[in-house]
Amino acid sequence: MKRSLSTYSTFKKMLLHNPDIHLLPQEEVNAVQQVLLTMMDDIHSVCRENDLHYVMSGGCALGAVRHGGFIPWDDDIDICMPRKDYDQIRQCMMQRFPEKYYVQEIKACEQYDLSFMKIRLNGTVFCEHLDSEPEKAGVFIDVFAVENVADNPFVRNVQWLLSDGMQFICSCIRIRKKRKILLEMAGESRQAVRAIRIKSVLSIPFSVIPFRRWLLWTEKVLRMNHNEQSEYISVSSGVKHFKGEMYPREWFFPEREMEFQGRQYCVMAEIEKYLGKMFGDYQKIPPVEERERHALLAFSLD
């Protein structure tokens, strides 16, 4: 049996069997999708007004190709932006919609502890177990930075080791800080308990340095390459990390528009190649038990 210290998929599956969580029925999923479309309309217009570039990614890119919009059970949107545009989108959104949205980003939010951005809709509630600011946890769109990758193979490997290594250290410290609630959630799941305990122990020598300092160092490492004409790019803060989400730049940019729920949003130039690497046989509909869903502590669109 293959063993792994990865906690992302383990915790997602674990939460689905927790009696304290709220799983959205299909009518609530549909309502969330409509809210996400209005949010995406705002983001798209802000990007157009400020000459910022983005592409829909993950399940949204898959949905655009396979369903012409949302995957029926999907309740979120992911987008990716070149690092230089990623650095501008928060300020642009807050200038255009100062009361409508709350944008969580590592440098701007003291309590936020993830290496990607969340644009949240004020006045809604979409609170997950590990949200760092539960009082501000509205419906969200995830924004990932597209990083430049070194052309030199040796430097590229150094970039990979630093990127994944720093993010692993942050993951271990994050798990240690939240281990009590995580162990309660894990229950009798041996795989989850094992990952939590090992990561907590591994974090000990690093925890003498404040967590926020590690987060800011990691942010600097992720953005370390400034060559905007590099052959390859990587969504290194994504679920498959640096090498798992490294692509030829020409697969992503220049982006193109594709229909999504009757609207026109931006996707990768070679979206089919991206989907093939990310999902394999992406036209195959997964069985119900393998469909990704968010497990919520609190939910409201009022």
Side-chain angles (χ1 to χ4, degrees):
M1 180 178 65
K2 182 178 179 181
R3 293 181 180 272
S4 171
L5 292 182
S6 174
T7 48
Y8 178 81
S9 59
T10 300
F11 290 158
K12 283 247 177 181
K13 293 176 182 177
M14 175 178 76
L15 284 171
L16 297 179
H17 304 288
N18 189 303
D20 297 325
I21 60 94
H22 176 70
L23 291 177
L24 302 182
Q26 191 59 49
E27 60 268 23
E28 289 182 345
V29 171
N30 295 342
V32 170
Q33 290 176 351
Q34 292 305 307
V35 171
L36 290 169
L37 287 174
T38 64
M39 295 174 67
M40 196 62 219
D41 287 343
D42 289 342
I43 293 172
H44 181 80
S45 68
V46 166
C47 287
R48 284 290 178 262
E49 290 169 6
N50 294 277
D51 194 27
L52 304 180
H53 302 271
Y54 78 89
V55 293
M56 302 188 88
S57 60
C60 298
L62 173 57
V65 170
R66 195 172 69 193
H67 302 275
F70 284 108
I71 297 172
W73 55 88
D74 203 3
D75 56 10
D76 71 351
I77 286 179
D78 299 331
I79 65 173
C80 295
M81 305 184 72
R83 168 58 76 171
K84 64 181 180 62
D85 297 338
Y86 176 95
D87 287 342
Q88 298 178 61
I89 186 64
R90 181 182 184 276
Q91 182 177 358
C92 291
M93 288 295 294
M94 297 308 292
Q95 286 179 345
R96 175 75 182 276
F97 302 104
E99 304 297 329
K100 188 172 184 180
Y101 293 107
Y102 177 63
V103 183
Q104 293 175 304
E105 189 266 333
I106 197 69
K107 291 187 294 183
C109 305
E110 288 281 338
Q111 292 179 290
Y112 192 60
D113 62 359
L114 298 175
S115 294
F116 55 90
M117 186 185 303
K118 286 182 180 287
I119 299 177
R120 293 189 180 270
L121 180 64
N122 291 328
T124 63
V125 180
F126 200 89
C127 184
E128 299 177 279
H129 275 74
L130 300 181
D131 277 329
S132 56
E133 298 178 281
E135 71 282 0
K136 298 179 179 179
V139 175
F140 63 86
I141 289 179
D142 285 334
V143 187
F144 296 86
V146 176
E147 310 290 1
N148 306 309
V149 171
D151 288 329
N152 180 283
F154 175 78
V155 178
R156 183 186 304 161
N157 281 327
V158 171
Q159 186 180 357
W160 159 53
L161 290 172
L162 286 172
S163 173
D164 283 8
M166 292 294 285
Q167 289 189 92
F168 182 76
I169 290 172
C170 287
S171 174
C172 290
I173 299 174
R174 186 181 299 112
I175 294 299
R176 180 174 175 80
K177 289 172 67 69
K178 301 177 179 180
R179 66 188 182 279
K180 182 177 180 180
I181 185 173
L182 288 172
L183 287 170
E184 291 175 356
M185 290 158 50
E188 298 181 0
S189 171
R190 292 183 179 180
Q191 182 182 3
V193 170
R194 174 181 175 273
I196 294 165
R197 287 178 174 169
I198 292 178
K199 279 195 166 184
S200 294
V201 171
L202 290 174
S203 76
I204 292 174
F206 304 107
S207 297
V208 296
I209 297 173
F211 185 28
R212 180 157 177 80
R213 188 172 298 176
W214 281 111
L215 292 169
L216 294 174
W217 284 344
T218 300
E219 175 79 2
K220 289 183 178 180
V221 165
L222 294 179
R223 62 169 68 235
M224 66 185 292
N225 190 291
H226 303 289
N227 179 12
E228 295 176 6
Q229 303 303 318
S230 62
E231 182 179 0
Y232 290 92
I233 50 89
S234 174
V235 187
S236 49
S237 59
V239 67
K240 293 189 175 182
H241 307 299
F242 186 90
K243 286 198 172 180
E245 295 206 34
M246 187 173 75
Y247 313 95
R249 183 180 294 275
E250 64 185 15
W251 283 19
F252 270 50
F253 305 109
E255 68 274 24
R256 60 189 173 97
E257 290 193 346
M258 178 175 282
E259 183 173 348
F260 190 95
Q261 299 294 138
R263 293 157 160 86
Q264 293 291 316
Y265 295 142
C266 296
V267 299
M268 298 86 172
E270 301 284 353
I271 190 171
E272 292 82 5
K273 292 180 180 179
Y274 163 82
L275 293 175
K277 177 172 180 176
M278 193 72 175
F279 298 105
D281 183 6
Y282 59 86
Q283 293 290 359
K284 182 179 179 181
I285 305 293
V288 173
E289 63 272 13
E290 295 180 11
R291 298 175 184 177
E292 187 171 320
R293 303 170 68 187
H294 282 94
L296 305 178
L297 278 177
F299 170 75
S300 174
L301 298 181
D302 298 330

